[in-house]
Amino acid sequence: MSPTDVLPGPGTWGPIAELVLPYDPTALAETVRRRRRGLVVRLVSLGISLVVLAAIYAWQWDTISTQGGPYWFFPAVGVTLALVWTAVALVGFLRARKDLRTAPDGIAVRMGRPGVVVGTAFARWPDVETLEVVPGGLGRADRLRLRTTDAQTGLVPLDQVVVAPATLDGTARAYSAGRRGVDLSRLDN
């Protein structure tokens, strides 16, 4: 889908009188690359820890087997923590890879004098109930959300568009003649 394709809303959109932001998977690809590297680092660290621990136990097996508990407790805690962090890194990597694979094509956000399109939801400026940036949650990017008076909801992750939230706010205020802006207050929490 190109910026000139027909989108929901009025047909009076023009190339100069609007802001058109296509989906951009570049940031998602960087996140996948960074999380893959973090997962590899965690796996290598876990492997080295297990090899060192096995070498210590092989070297001091007689002492460890006679002394018992204290020699098992701290290594067990260390290995458990390493496994938990590795699992967290794996989940983050798999989530980012899934987000990249399912990233849509086309126009993510479109603002002009007639109204706003966020994702697949369109609203004329008087019909916008809320236009806000909401936190994305653990390991997810913040999202631009449009809710309309007729219960449509559009949602676009901000890591899939190449513009700052403050730019979206200024653009919304300009095109809506000051009636609407992007609520950025939830980013402070």
Side-chain angles (χ1 to χ4, degrees):
M1 188 188 244
S2 74
T4 58
D5 289 345
V6 177
L7 290 175
T12 59
W13 299 79
I16 296 175
E18 64 186 356
L19 170 72
V20 178
L21 298 172
Y23 286 100
D24 183 13
T26 307
L28 285 175
E30 177 59 28
T31 300
V32 169
R33 189 181 66 74
R34 189 178 65 250
R35 289 187 180 175
R36 178 183 297 127
R37 189 174 55 234
L39 177 61
V40 167
V41 166
R42 292 277 178 206
L43 288 171
V44 168
S45 174
L46 178 63
I48 290 171
S49 297
L50 290 174
V51 166
V52 167
L53 195 60
I56 290 171
Y57 278 104
W59 177 50
Q60 292 293 322
W61 179 251
D62 293 336
T63 306
I64 292 170
S65 61
T66 59
Q67 296 295 322
Y71 284 101
W72 294 104
F73 178 74
F74 291 109
V77 169
V79 169
T80 301
L81 289 175
L83 286 170
V84 167
W85 280 115
T86 302
V88 167
L90 177 64
V91 168
F93 168 68
L94 293 175
R95 181 187 288 179
R97 192 174 67 175
K98 179 184 174 225
D99 287 347
L100 180 61
R101 287 181 178 166
T102 60
D105 291 330
I107 303 299
V109 177
R110 189 173 196 167
M111 290 184 191
R113 296 228 180 267
V116 60
V117 175
V118 175
T120 58
F122 167 75
R124 295 186 179 280
W125 289 113
D127 299 329
V128 173
E129 185 177 311
T130 60
L131 188 59
E132 60 189 345
V133 174
V134 294
L138 185 64
R140 300 253 179 175
D142 297 331
R143 290 163 164 24
L144 176 66
R145 179 171 60 192
L146 166 68
R147 282 191 286 170
T148 68
T149 55
D150 62 346
Q152 287 187 27
T153 301
L155 201 63
V156 171
L158 289 179
D159 64 351
Q160 295 182 23
V161 294
V162 289
V163 69
T167 303
L168 292 172
D169 178 45
T171 304
R173 291 180 193 281
Y175 284 131
S176 69
R179 292 176 292 199
R180 294 282 182 230
V182 177
D183 181 7
L184 304 174
S185 63
R186 294 193 53 200
L187 293 180
D188 295 336
N189 297 336

